[in-house]
Amino acid sequence: MNAARTILLTKVLIDGTGHAALRNGAMLIENGRIAAVGPRARIERSARGAHTVDASELVAVAGLINLHAHLDMDGSPDFMTSALLMTEQTSTLMGVRSAREALHAGITTLRDLGTKFATAISVRDAIKRGWTDGPRVVAAGRVVCMTGGHCWFIAHEADGPHEMRKAVRENLKLGADCIKVIATGGVLSPGVEVGSSQLDVDEMEVAVREAHKAGRRVAAHAIGAAGIVNALHAGVDTLEHGCYLTDKALALLRSTKATYVPTLAAPHNLYAHLSELPDYAARKTRDVYEAHRESFRRAMKADVPIGAGADSGTPFNFHSKFVTELECMVALGMPAEQALAAAGPTAAAALGLASEIGTLEAGKSADVVLVDEDPRKDIKSLRDVRAVVACGKFYRIKQ
């Protein structure tokens, strides 16, 4: 259903701005956007004759934003083998399926940070055209790494500033919304260590300059301490993983105002399935697990911006289980309301879309998740999504 003028009735409406929750709240949706939010009686008076959706037994929150996903990965245990065997057709079809799963989990905006053939761009466009259901997709195209670097099997390999410039421009030509660079080794690639620095500062500076010239933002995969600092010196906009955050890195996060996207769900799921992983991945998971958790705690204490991204698609980390990321944040000491904001206004700001998404306010896209209970009291309530509104279109997930 996509009525041009619809009133959504709720038990509790949490707008995500920090204001008090609105009991018996309502929202007027017109042509995919929020026209008004307020008490039920006032909204009904102001919009007589509008179609009404009665969700008065449910709690409404802003649509969730996942800042880190790989749409053509499905949680298989051997990430590299799956990627090497993947065809472009399979990548696209899997992307369509993953996008639908994400939407049904309450994700209304998803940043894809690397598909093998840049197929997330095609999935994004198919969703926009109404050919398939899915969230708003912000697509990075192909990741950019050094020759033989982490994720070389899905990446554009580039060495030196000139090749980096070419790689970024080719991604932009394909229609990429953002750029992702690989600053360090990673857990899921054999033959590279997580602490090793990979792309150099001058290479990443070129990526940032080219992306920013085109109005795009840059994400950096960065696990090891030196590579994290390199990426932040280069001016990246978001720092992904950040398993070894030093005092210097935290100071740079504060001064550059880059957003930290910890992707806690990725090692959480890997650690729970160590015996099913390739040996190299299991060993590196053990190496980073506790350091990663401690880095997250330190980032919270340092009060740097923290956005929610699950690294969805990596082993045992399914697109339908994004809430695991928020549950990990809460388990490590983040208040549930702040975790919800990490998948709301903080994530929207990291994407440069704060005026469009992230909160339930007049003028913004009508992106809403409906659940039984208040997730600020129990973040696990987001596991059971009853319905989703994405760009004003209603999807009934469960009766």
Side-chain angles (χ1 to χ4, degrees):
M1 179 188 59
N2 191 13
R5 203 160 184 255
T6 301
I7 296 173
L8 174 65
L9 307 179
T10 68
K11 177 174 69 174
V12 178
L13 191 150
I14 302 164
D15 66 14
T17 66
H19 294 151
L22 185 62
R23 299 201 66 83
N24 297 314
M27 178 188 306
L28 176 62
I29 299 171
E30 294 183 350
N31 299 315
R33 306 193 76 81
I34 301 171
V37 177
R40 174 174 177 170
R42 176 165 65 79
I43 298 297
E44 287 183 316
R45 281 197 308 271
S46 68
R48 296 185 192 281
H51 178 79
T52 298
V53 173
D54 188 355
S56 56
E57 297 302 314
L58 300 175
V59 176
V61 298
L64 302 175
I65 302 169
N66 184 356
L67 287 174
H68 195 134
H70 299 279
L71 284 172
D72 63 353
M73 293 295 169
D74 64 353
S76 298
D78 190 338
F79 180 84
M80 180 177 175
T81 300
S82 296
L84 285 170
L85 296 176
M86 185 179 296
T87 65
E88 188 166 359
Q89 293 85 352
T90 300
S91 175
T92 304
L93 291 169
M94 194 177 295
V96 169
R97 186 185 74 172
S98 298
R100 188 178 298 115
E101 289 177 355
L103 178 70
H104 289 186
I107 297 166
T108 54
T109 299
L110 176 149
R111 185 176 62 164
D112 182 281
L113 286 184
T115 42
K116 184 176 180 182
F117 302 96
T119 51
I121 294 171
S122 296
V123 175
R124 174 200 69 194
D125 293 345
I127 293 167
K128 284 182 178 179
R129 291 169 180 154
W131 297 349
T132 186
D133 293 335
R136 176 187 294 100
V137 173
V138 177
R142 295 172 69 196
V143 302
V144 186
C145 72
M146 71 178 196
T147 296
H150 174 59
C151 280
W152 62 265
F153 41 87
I154 62 170
H156 187 136
E157 293 173 294
D159 299 306
H162 177 71
E163 289 189 6
M164 174 61 75
R165 184 177 294 108
K166 180 73 170 175
V168 170
R169 289 177 178 177
E170 287 185 355
N171 264 323
L172 295 174
K173 179 182 177 182
L174 291 172
D177 301 302
C178 60
I179 299 295
K180 182 185 177 184
V181 295
I182 303 295
T184 73
V187 170
L188 299 177
S189 298
V192 299
E193 294 305 313
V194 294
S196 64
S197 295
Q198 297 203 345
L199 289 173
D200 291 331
V201 175
D202 62 341
E203 293 169 316
M204 289 187 283
E205 283 177 336
V206 168
V208 170
R209 184 161 62 248
E210 288 298 318
H212 286 183
K213 275 166 46 180
R216 309 295 199 271
R217 298 190 175 201
V218 178
H221 162 103
I223 293 179
I228 289 170
V229 169
N230 287 345
L232 292 169
H233 275 309
V236 301
D237 300 288
T238 67
L239 184 82
E240 313 299 310
H241 314 306
C243 299
Y244 294 93
L245 290 178
T246 62
D247 289 342
K248 184 174 182 180
L250 291 168
L252 281 168
L253 277 166
R254 286 193 296 268
S255 64
T256 63
K257 296 182 171 55
T259 300
Y260 174 44
V261 184
T263 68
L264 295 166
H268 171 84
N269 285 300
L270 292 172
Y271 199 78
H273 296 88
L274 287 172
S275 64
E276 299 167 72
L277 300 175
D279 289 345
Y280 67 85
R283 174 182 63 80
K284 289 190 281 186
T285 297
R286 293 188 190 96
D287 289 345
V288 305
Y289 184 70
E290 285 300 338
H292 192 190
R293 290 157 62 88
E294 180 57 26
S295 284
F296 176 76
R297 294 188 189 98
R298 297 187 73 224
M300 280 195 298
K301 290 178 183 176
D303 198 28
V304 302
I306 299 176
D311 207 358
S312 304
T314 52
F316 306 101
N317 190 9
F318 304 108
H319 293 276
S320 60
K321 303 295 184 182
F322 169 71
V323 68
T324 300
E325 181 69 19
L326 307 186
E327 291 175 8
C328 286
M329 289 177 164
V330 171
L332 291 173
M334 179 177 277
E337 188 165 8
Q338 187 179 343
L340 193 61
T346 305
L351 295 175
L353 296 175
S355 64
E356 179 72 10
I357 59 174
T359 57
L360 301 179
E361 298 178 272
K364 293 193 175 184
S365 179
D367 296 346
V368 189
V369 176
L370 294 159
V371 292
D372 288 315
E373 303 297 336
D374 186 341
R376 300 172 307 169
K377 297 177 181 177
D378 184 0
I379 202 71
K380 292 178 182 176
S381 68
L382 292 171
R383 291 182 181 180
D384 194 16
V385 171
R386 295 293 178 177
V388 177
V389 186
C391 297
K393 185 174 181 180
F394 284 73
Y395 299 88
R396 181 69 67 176
I397 310 302
K398 293 182 181 178
Q399 299 296 328

